[in-house]
Amino acid sequence: MLRYLPFLLVLAVWIYAFIDVLNTPEKEVRHFPKVVWVILVLLFGEVLLGPIAWFVTGKKRRGPGAGGAGRGRTQWVAPDDNPEFLKSLRDEKPETPDDEQKKRDKGSDS
């Protein structure tokens, strides 16, 4: 069983690179058109040259912390740090039994 492990690892990297090429938007592909990358990964995948070339140079990678910032997305903020969420909590105070009694009294006066 152990003698099949290298073959299975190469196959897994090959398949992962192929799916990554297909799922990458065209504007994030570097150096060659996407179709050329698909062909390179498929032709040279057995010896890992195509997948390694794709992982190293083919796709624009963002560094850690880059996330979606700068692309129109907002970064996730915890609820206790989100001023809009805290404001909504202040606006929606839970009603106490005294508040209900005051509303009933106002309603009966008019």
Side-chain angles (χ1 to χ4, degrees):
M1 179 65 184
L2 206 52
R3 62 183 171 181
Y4 298 118
L5 187 61
F7 172 73
L8 292 175
L9 289 175
V10 169
L11 183 65
V13 171
W14 193 2
I15 291 171
Y16 180 80
F18 178 68
I19 292 172
D20 192 35
V21 171
L22 292 178
N23 287 333
T24 302
E26 186 73 39
K27 62 184 176 183
E28 291 185 19
V29 176
R30 299 187 320 184
H31 301 297
F32 298 119
K34 192 172 177 177
V35 175
V36 174
W37 278 113
V38 169
I39 293 169
L40 284 173
V41 167
L42 288 177
L43 287 178
F44 298 107
E46 194 170 332
V47 290
L48 289 181
L49 290 176
I52 290 173
W54 167 251
F55 293 135
V56 173
T57 64
K59 182 178 181 181
K60 291 181 186 175
R61 308 267 181 208
R62 291 183 291 277
R71 295 189 332 171
R73 293 184 182 172
T74 58
Q75 191 172 3
W76 184 83
V77 179
D80 58 343
D81 293 334
N82 188 341
E84 294 174 13
F85 177 73
L86 295 173
K87 183 178 181 292
S88 71
L89 288 179
R90 277 185 245 123
D91 293 343
E92 299 174 9
K93 290 190 282 187
E95 292 187 11
T96 62
D98 294 335
D99 293 339
E100 291 178 16
Q101 183 64 33
K102 288 178 187 176
K103 283 184 180 179
R104 275 189 246 133
D105 292 342
K106 283 184 179 181
S108 63
D109 290 340
S110 50

